[in-house]
Amino acid sequence: MAKKKEIIDFKNKHVTYTLEGITYKVLLLNKASMNVELSCFEKGKFTQNKTIPFAHLPKSIKSLIKPNNK
């Protein structure tokens, strides 16, 4: 049997944070690799999508996502 990919979608949850003038919106969490896909916005305009490790997120955002509970 094929293994199910464990990707959690946060697009509808509107989980955002601001760091150094850039607003980041959490889109997806890949539980297998523990990477998070983010959308980056500067001055309200979309600039890029970015993938970072879960460990690099601020503690307040980590507590909202909680990958082990889903």
Side-chain angles (χ1 to χ4, degrees):
M1 259 177 143
K3 191 174 185 181
K4 182 182 175 189
K5 290 186 178 182
E6 295 186 29
I7 296 177
I8 303 172
D9 186 7
F10 288 99
K11 292 175 187 168
N12 295 330
K13 306 252 189 217
H14 303 292
V15 179
T16 61
Y17 67 97
T18 303
L19 188 64
E20 298 177 1
I22 302 173
T23 303
Y24 298 95
K25 181 179 178 185
V26 179
L27 300 177
L28 302 169
L29 170 66
N30 184 340
K31 287 177 68 175
S33 64
M34 289 305 290
N35 287 327
V36 180
E37 185 175 333
L38 307 169
S39 285
C40 304
F41 297 90
E42 287 186 60
K43 299 179 183 176
K45 293 188 179 184
F46 173 77
T47 55
Q48 66 179 348
N49 279 346
K50 190 177 195 180
T51 303
I52 64 168
F54 178 78
H56 291 191
L57 290 174
K59 277 188 175 184
S60 59
I61 301 302
K62 287 181 192 176
S63 66
L64 293 174
I65 294 175
K66 296 180 188 175
N68 295 332
N69 293 342
K70 297 228 173 184

